Amino acid sequence: GAGVSQSPRYKVAKRGQDVALRCDPISGHVSLFWYQQALGQGPEFLTYFQNEAQLDKSGLPSDRFFAERPEGSVSTLKIQRTQQEDSAVYLCASSLVAGQGAWDTEAFFGQGTRLTVV
Amino acid sequence: QKEVEQNSGPLSVPEGAIASLNCTYSDRVSQSFFWYRQYSGKSPELIMSIYSNGDKEDGRFTAQLNKASQYVSLLIRDSQPSDSATYLCAVKSGTYKYIFGTGTRLKVLA
């Protein structure tokens, strides 16, 4: 596609419900990042994939958060047993270059998924 | 102390003036620095990247880096109302992780 596509754009979940957020990166982009952005804050790093390998998941806030990219393209961020503090915009970004300096070429962000847990 | 600090603003400047946005970071070994612009309800978009001490100019934008003082700044010349947005400073930490500041909200007054 022309850009990074995320779906759904908006998701309302009841507390305790599981959700799955999808990211379709730009075709051919090796690197894929997930970020969480709370209202009025900057994006917070969650996890990084190089192709299908999840090389860094140090930002995932708890074991309720799980991300995968099984074929090295589309990625899914899953949140189990959602809590109110999970309410945020979840941003996906992709870039062409792999490895160190991955962002030394431009990383393109998707429009994000706004998750509201009620 | 946060790893990347920015004044949240809002910073208000009149149209045509120079807007100066500042960012400090704590990791002395950081090598890559970025400025993103984020309009309300939209995703961040890259404006500038800078890796070496000194100035880097791109159109109306100038990024300045001082590694000894651990700060990076963004100057916007001839500010326009369309520049009104939140400006995010990002610093590369380690191999993959990019740390963002909370952003500075800029208002350009017509």
Side-chain angles (χ1 to χ4, degrees), chain A residues 71-99:
Chain A
E71 296 177 1
S73 56
V74 171
S75 177
T76 303
L77 176 67
K78 298 179 179 178
I79 309 173
Q80 296 176 323
R81 303 181 304 281
T82 52
Q83 304 294 315
Q84 283 191 315
E85 61 263 27
D86 300 335
S87 296
V89 174
Y90 290 84
L91 294 166
C92 175
S94 72
S95 70
L96 183 61
V97 177

Side-chain angles (χ1 to χ4, degrees), chain A residues 35 37 48 58 101 103 110, chain B residues 34 36 38 43 92 96-98:
Chain A
Y35 278 81
Q37 188 172 24
Y48 167 75
S58 63
W103 285 45
Chain B
F34 306 84
Y36 283 81
Q38 187 173 29
S43 58
K92 186 179 176 185
Y96 309 117
K97 192 181 301 184
Y98 283 74

Side-chain angles (χ1 to χ4, degrees), chain A residues 11-19 79-83 117:
Chain A
K11 176 69 179 178
V12 178
K14 290 186 178 179
R15 192 171 54 185
Q17 187 178 354
D18 297 350
V19 298
I79 309 173
Q80 296 176 323
R81 303 181 304 281
T82 52
Q83 304 294 315
V117 181

Side-chain angles (χ1 to χ4, degrees), chain A:
Chain A
V4 179
S5 177
Q6 291 188 246
S7 61
R9 288 292 313 278
Y10 304 92
K11 176 69 179 178
V12 178
K14 290 186 178 179
R15 192 171 54 185
Q17 187 178 354
D18 297 350
V19 298
L21 313 180
R22 177 188 169 107
C23 173
D24 228 311
I26 295 172
S27 179
H29 277 200
V30 169
S31 295
L32 186 145
F33 303 79
W34 282 99
Y35 278 81
Q36 179 191 60
Q37 188 172 24
L39 191 64
Q41 302 296 314
E44 295 274 349
F45 173 84
L46 293 178
T47 188
Y48 167 75
F49 288 88
Q50 179 177 312
N51 294 309
E52 70 278 3
Q54 188 175 22
L55 298 187
D56 189 335
K57 54 182 181 179
S58 63
L60 296 176
S62 76
D63 59 7
R64 296 186 295 104
F65 287 71
F66 171 77
E68 60 183 3
R69 194 187 185 197
E71 296 177 1
S73 56
V74 171
S75 177
T76 303
L77 176 67
K78 298 179 179 178
I79 309 173
Q80 296 176 323
R81 303 181 304 281
T82 52
Q83 304 294 315
Q84 283 191 315
E85 61 263 27
D86 300 335
S87 296
V89 174
Y90 290 84
L91 294 166
C92 175
S94 72
S95 70
L96 183 61
V97 177
Q100 192 163 3
W103 285 45
D104 294 343
T105 58
E106 183 170 359
F108 295 86
F109 279 89
Q111 289 299 310
T113 294
R114 182 178 296 278
L115 172 65
T116 303
V117 181
V118 297

